[in-house]
Amino acid sequence: MKVIKNLLFISVAFILQASLMPVFEYNNVVPNFILVLVILIGMNFNKYTAAVNGAVFGLLIDIFFSPALGVNTLVLGAVGFICGSASEYLVTDNLLSLILYMIAGTILYNLFSSIVIRVFIDTISIRYIFSKIFSMEIIVNIAMAIMVFLLKGRTFIYSFINEIEGNDEYDEA
Amino acid sequence: MRELKKYRDRIVLTAIVIVLLLVIGFTSGGRKALTTVERVVGDIFSPVMTGVAYVGNGISQTIDSVVEIPSLKSTNEYLESENTRLMDENLRLNDIVARTEYLKNEYEITKKRNDDYVKADIIGKEPGTWFDRFIINKGMNDGIKKDDTVVVGITSATDNVVVEGLVGKISEVGDNFAKVTTILEESNSVSFKNIRTQDSGILYGSQDNMLEGYLFYNQADIVADDRLYTSGMGDVYTGNIYIGKVHNVISDDQDMKKKIIVSPDVDFKKIYRVFVIKSEVYTDESN
């Protein structure tokens, strides 16, 4: 039942990302709701929960959009794992830490993606890689995360995941 | 054994990473078809995504309409007068077509090709910025195949005529959905011809929604604002589809190449519906 609930949560988030988020495109960048979710899960749950959630999100993106299977599974899983590991040592319950996590998470996501793409898929130039890593996406994702923070979306997301995972790691500050 | 237990998590994690890297390596060269699992997942998700995308497109179009309200009145007046003019012109052209054998044949071919279009809605776009891909709500069940050309109707800025604007090609097909790779993606190359001189070359995706490319013949005559169409070479894209206008020409003496920057006329940010040309059917019938 927990697995089904978790898959349902991931499926709904994926559908919202793929079919609704393009409406909010700004400056050629679509808010990456899935990446924001994976970072938020990493900030507040253990690294394995974040990695598994990230990997399943990534698998769905790979099935529908990637030229090769496994790219986003690996990259989003890794981002979730690193954010989860960092949250064992760093503060996660204020707005500033949220912004810093979003900056680091988005940079890591694009850095890992560029490495995988360059090694396995396409010979992209270093200039192109830098333009993608330090892009408008960071700002757009921060804006989305702040919106989630202000709208108390965290409470919903965390209590939902808590229920699925069966732990009480999150306490809203 | 105790050591093995201590490092169990790390071993499992490393094994998963290695497996994923192998999967990426095996599938990165392009695949002929989707796996059964992918097709089943796609079949489950695509109807829901069609509904959500319908709502999303509605919101987007409403926002666009609100933004465009000030210019609507003048646009309406222009369209009314344009409609009257076009009706007259249509009558005149029908007369010419009926009388000229050559034009009549061409018209028939165009009409036949129109029958081979599949109209499809865009139901999902890639979340990241690395690939320019989207999915449509039509697939194998509608006769769509891998490598079919995807176009959209656009009004050419140069001569105000509606033409087929090249969007991309079908990269993978499920039962009720298909993945489209746009021409903006770097790995996606298109062979083109300059409509003015018939010189040809290759274009591929670049940054900032532009296309970069070069001509096969480095002394070829090409200037800014020249219009480029698909050449049909390589059997990937159907021929004679409008790509865009030359934005800039750069002569590279070192490489002995004439490099060009092309701006596609398709507004990739504002496409909600596309047409897929069922190329195989067309080729078979025309042969």
Side-chain angles (χ1 to χ4, degrees), chain B residues 77-128:
Chain B
E77 283 167 4
Y78 167 75
L79 286 175
E80 272 179 9
S81 63
E82 190 68 5
N83 188 35
T84 316
R85 190 183 67 78
L86 287 174
M87 279 167 73
D88 288 345
E89 194 174 320
N90 195 24
L91 275 175
R92 193 169 54 80
L93 289 174
N94 274 338
D95 183 43
I96 294 170
V97 168
R99 279 185 286 128
T100 316
E101 190 65 23
Y102 165 73
L103 285 173
K104 195 176 170 185
N105 290 342
E106 200 169 58
Y107 172 70
E108 286 302 320
I109 287 172
T110 316
K111 206 172 81 175
K112 191 161 79 176
R113 186 152 118 180
N114 282 341
D115 295 339
D116 295 333
Y117 280 126
V118 175
K119 196 162 74 173
D121 290 324
I122 296 173
I123 57 168
K125 287 184 180 173
E126 210 248 333

Side-chain angles (χ1 to χ4, degrees), chain A residues 18-19 25 63 65 110 132, chain B residues 123 125 129 133 179 269:
Chain A
S19 303
E25 183 175 312
I63 287 175
F65 300 106
N110 283 320
K132 290 282 184 186
Chain B
I123 57 168
K125 287 184 180 173
T129 56
R133 293 178 172 225
K179 302 185 194 181
K269 282 183 279 182

Side-chain angles (χ1 to χ4, degrees), chain B residues 12-135:
Chain B
V12 171
L13 212 62
T14 313
I16 291 171
V17 171
I18 291 170
V19 168
L20 283 174
L21 288 173
L22 286 172
V23 171
I24 297 169
F26 281 123
T27 55
S28 61
R31 293 174 297 158
K32 281 187 178 172
L34 294 174
T35 60
T36 313
V37 177
E38 286 173 279
R39 280 172 63 180
V40 170
V41 172
D43 288 345
I44 294 168
F45 275 72
S46 56
V48 187
M49 289 172 85
T50 304
V52 178
Y54 181 76
V55 174
N57 290 344
I59 295 170
S60 192
Q61 281 165 359
T62 308
I63 294 169
D64 287 348
S65 309
V66 170
V67 171
E68 284 169 8
I69 279 174
S71 62
L72 279 182
K73 195 169 177 285
S74 57
T75 308
N76 191 39
E77 283 167 4
Y78 167 75
L79 286 175
E80 272 179 9
S81 63
E82 190 68 5
N83 188 35
T84 316
R85 190 183 67 78
L86 287 174
M87 279 167 73
D88 288 345
E89 194 174 320
N90 195 24
L91 275 175
R92 193 169 54 80
L93 289 174
N94 274 338
D95 183 43
I96 294 170
V97 168
R99 279 185 286 128
T100 316
E101 190 65 23
Y102 165 73
L103 285 173
K104 195 176 170 185
N105 290 342
E106 200 169 58
Y107 172 70
E108 286 302 320
I109 287 172
T110 316
K111 206 172 81 175
K112 191 161 79 176
R113 186 152 118 180
N114 282 341
D115 295 339
D116 295 333
Y117 280 126
V118 175
K119 196 162 74 173
D121 290 324
I122 296 173
I123 57 168
K125 287 184 180 173
E126 210 248 333
T129 56
W130 287 97
F131 306 109
D132 287 291
R133 293 178 172 225
F134 57 80
I135 45 176

Side-chain angles (χ1 to χ4, degrees), chain A residues 4-45:
Chain A
I4 293 171
K5 268 191 171 180
N6 204 351
L7 285 177
L8 200 68
F9 169 74
I10 289 171
S11 304
V12 170
F14 170 76
I15 290 169
L16 287 179
Q17 170 67 61
S19 303
L20 204 61
M21 283 299 144
V23 173
F24 306 104
E25 183 175 312
Y26 176 73
N27 209 7
N28 286 336
V29 176
V30 175
N32 201 331
F33 181 53
I34 285 177
L35 179 61
V36 170
L37 272 184
V38 171
I39 297 170
L40 285 174
I41 294 169
M43 283 172 71
N44 292 276
F45 295 92

Side-chain angles (χ1 to χ4, degrees), chain A residues 10-168:
Chain A
I10 289 171
S11 304
V12 170
F14 170 76
I15 290 169
L16 287 179
Q17 170 67 61
S19 303
L20 204 61
M21 283 299 144
V23 173
F24 306 104
E25 183 175 312
Y26 176 73
N27 209 7
N28 286 336
V29 176
V30 175
N32 201 331
F33 181 53
I34 285 177
L35 179 61
V36 170
L37 272 184
V38 171
I39 297 170
L40 285 174
I41 294 169
M43 283 172 71
N44 292 276
F45 295 92
N46 72 57
K47 53 193 175 193
Y48 296 108
T49 304
V52 169
N53 275 280
V56 179
F57 271 127
L59 186 63
L60 276 178
I61 296 173
D62 284 335
I63 287 175
F64 282 98
F65 300 106
S66 294
L69 270 183
V71 179
N72 282 286
T73 313
L74 183 64
V75 171
L76 278 173
V79 170
F81 187 81
I82 291 170
C83 288
S85 303
S87 68
E88 290 172 11
Y89 308 100
L90 303 173
V91 182
T92 58
D93 58 1
N94 59 52
L95 190 59
L96 181 65
S97 61
L98 179 78
I99 292 170
L100 293 176
Y101 267 91
M102 285 303 148
I103 294 171
T106 309
I107 289 175
L108 279 178
Y109 171 74
N110 283 320
L111 179 68
F112 291 158
S113 297
S114 66
I115 293 169
V116 175
I117 291 166
R118 195 173 159 95
V119 172
F120 291 102
I121 299 171
D122 201 4
T123 49
I124 41 179
S125 67
I126 301 293
R127 194 171 72 94
Y128 186 66
I129 290 172
F130 269 90
S131 74
K132 290 282 184 186
I133 291 174
F134 301 102
S135 67
M136 189 59 121
E137 195 182 356
I138 298 174
I139 311 287
V140 173
N141 286 351
I142 289 172
M144 164 141 281
I146 290 174
M147 254 162 53
V148 172
F149 184 87
L150 295 177
L151 294 171
K152 302 281 180 193
R154 302 171 80 199
T155 319
F156 171 73
I157 293 162
Y158 298 146
S159 53
F160 193 84
I161 300 261
N162 260 330
E163 197 187 317
I164 293 163
E165 297 296 324
N167 60 41
D168 303 313

Side-chain angles (χ1 to χ4, degrees), chain B residues 11 33 41 59 109 134 139 148 159 167 188 193 197 199 201 204 226 239 275 279:
Chain B
I11 293 168
V41 172
I59 295 170
I109 287 172
F134 57 80
D148 279 353
D159 38 25
V167 172
N188 197 3
K193 66 180 177 195
T197 61
D199 285 319
Y204 44 89
D226 270 355
F275 295 93
S279 48

